[in-house]
Amino acid sequence: MSGLRIGTSGWNYPTGRGTWNGIFYPPARKRPKGFDELAFYASHFDTVEVNATFYGQPRAEVSRAWAARTPAGFEFSVKLYQKFTHPAMYKGRVADSLAPEAAGIDAGDWLEAITPPNQADLDQFRRGIDPLANAGKLGALLAQFPPSFKETPASRDYLASLLAALAGYQVAVELRHRSWSDRVGETLALLNEFQAAWVQIDEPKFKFSIRQNYLPNVEGFYYMRLHGRNVAQWWRHANAEDRYDYLYSADELREFSDTADAARRLVKKLYLYTNNHFSAKSVANAAMIKQQLGEPLEGEYPPEFLERYPELATPLTPSRTSS
């Protein structure tokens, strides 16, 4: 089995202007009996990146069902719960959920006490992903830090402690502030010590954005994420999904296909995920990358999808179940 795995970030986008319903999946009201989105997705790709675990701890019964609904050899890469990487976001979400009468100084002290992740949080996360690991379907763990996570002694210490706590897993670390690449030697030394992959990312570039050369930093595995290049709506958007409303052209993707082709010869495993999920553009771009790498394009595609993304119409098989 090839060490190259290409997929999308998430598979379930049922609402909003950028829904996948009626494009990659049949419309909700016209689905065949028993239609399963994950199973349909897994007939096209051999991996997916789970983003839902960022918003809530993974649950064993859910991940056990994911494993059962996917074929042998399929892998899930799982994003860490936000408490591990975005403590301010976690703290704000908990604060917003408090009743008005609880918003006093005592509540503030309580929030400060519960915000740092602890062993119980880590144990809960482990239990939630154990069914995937036991089924041989756990890929990497993604530790995605916000742009505000800068390279400082405290940040390095925290990252080191997190990676030590996750020993035994493949961990991919997404750093987005330029301070990490400004001290590239120190960053590489830290990640390499724990055999953690430095996530290579493509997204709109700003003054503080990290600079990367797309080379693998460890031999074990490589991890790349393509977020799109929607500069105009990256920070200012009506809805969060608008940020990911971007379709890479074939020429733009060639850079990443060439990079992946070179990197897969240097590592044991390579994960490449497209995160420009608006209207299933990530599906189209993931399929285009497979095309460029000479990988088989499996599964059937709805006519609506082929009509929207004509670059893929010739080599793909239309779905017989779509209307």
Side-chain angles (χ1 to χ4, degrees), residues 24-319:
F24 184 55
Y25 301 133
R29 296 181 179 179
K30 296 183 179 181
R31 295 187 173 186
K33 185 177 181 179
F35 180 83
D36 185 324
E37 288 185 358
L38 178 55
F40 181 79
Y41 171 92
S43 70
H44 297 76
F45 302 103
D46 59 7
T47 188
V48 73
E49 184 181 80
V50 180
N51 288 319
T53 49
F54 176 77
Y55 301 98
Q57 287 272 33
R59 293 181 292 157
E61 63 271 24
V62 174
S63 58
R64 188 175 297 112
W66 290 343
R69 291 157 56 196
T70 50
F74 190 89
E75 289 191 9
F76 297 83
S77 288
V78 181
K79 186 182 288 189
L80 290 183
Y81 182 42
Q82 65 181 207
K83 191 174 186 181
F84 295 105
T85 57
H86 290 62
M89 181 182 293
Y90 170 81
K91 181 180 177 181
R93 183 171 62 82
V94 174
D96 290 343
S97 70
L98 293 176
E101 59 270 17
I105 184 63
D106 291 340
D109 293 342
W110 175 76
L111 282 171
E112 290 297 331
I114 69 164
T115 295
N118 55 37
Q119 186 62 44
D121 297 317
L122 183 61
D123 291 343
Q124 183 179 358
F125 189 87
R126 286 178 183 273
R127 289 194 298 271
I129 62 174
D130 272 348
L132 295 177
N134 294 338
K137 294 186 175 183
L138 181 63
L141 302 184
L142 172 63
Q144 182 193 44
F145 288 93
S148 58
F149 187 69
K150 301 177 182 178
E151 199 275 350
T152 66
S155 295
R156 287 197 304 273
D157 289 346
Y158 176 74
L159 180 54
S161 66
L162 179 63
L163 293 174
L166 295 172
Y169 295 102
Q170 292 185 125
V171 183
V173 179
E174 182 167 334
L175 302 166
R176 291 186 276 182
H177 194 273
R178 186 169 180 170
S179 56
W180 294 97
S181 55
D182 286 345
R183 294 175 60 88
V184 63
E186 291 85 348
T187 302
L188 284 173
L190 172 57
L191 297 175
N192 293 350
E193 178 183 353
F194 296 95
Q195 289 298 294
W198 192 347
V199 177
Q200 305 298 308
I201 58 176
D202 184 67
E203 63 182 8
K205 294 293 185 283
F206 303 96
K207 184 178 180 180
F208 62 80
S209 297
I210 198 164
R211 279 17 182 199
Q212 296 182 292
N213 60 15
Y214 300 136
L215 295 176
N217 66 298
V218 291
E219 295 181 359
F221 75 110
Y222 181 88
Y223 204 101
M224 175 178 277
R225 307 182 78 214
L226 308 184
H227 298 291
R229 298 175 174 177
N230 190 347
V231 177
Q233 294 184 292
W234 195 252
W235 298 116
R236 298 181 180 181
H237 41 255
N239 300 291
E241 65 175 4
D242 296 337
R243 169 183 281 192
Y244 304 103
D245 184 4
Y246 186 87
L247 181 70
Y248 288 91
S249 70
D251 286 342
E252 288 174 324
L253 289 178
R254 178 61 65 182
E255 173 187 3
F256 306 111
S257 299
D258 290 347
T259 296
D261 191 39
R264 67 173 163 173
R265 304 170 196 277
L266 302 172
V267 298
K268 296 180 179 68
K269 208 165 218 179
L270 185 150
Y271 299 93
L272 193 160
Y273 296 107
T274 50
N275 191 34
N276 52 326
H277 55 75
F278 192 96
S279 296
K281 292 178 178 179
S282 55
V283 174
N285 281 154
M288 290 168 71
I289 292 171
K290 292 183 73 173
Q291 248 182 345
Q292 292 180 355
L293 288 170
E295 295 292 310
L297 292 172
E298 300 168 327
E300 298 180 343
Y301 288 77
E304 296 86 350
F305 181 87
L306 300 179
E307 181 179 349
R308 185 175 292 239
Y309 304 113
E311 302 92 334
L312 297 165
T314 301
L316 299 186
T317 304
S319 170

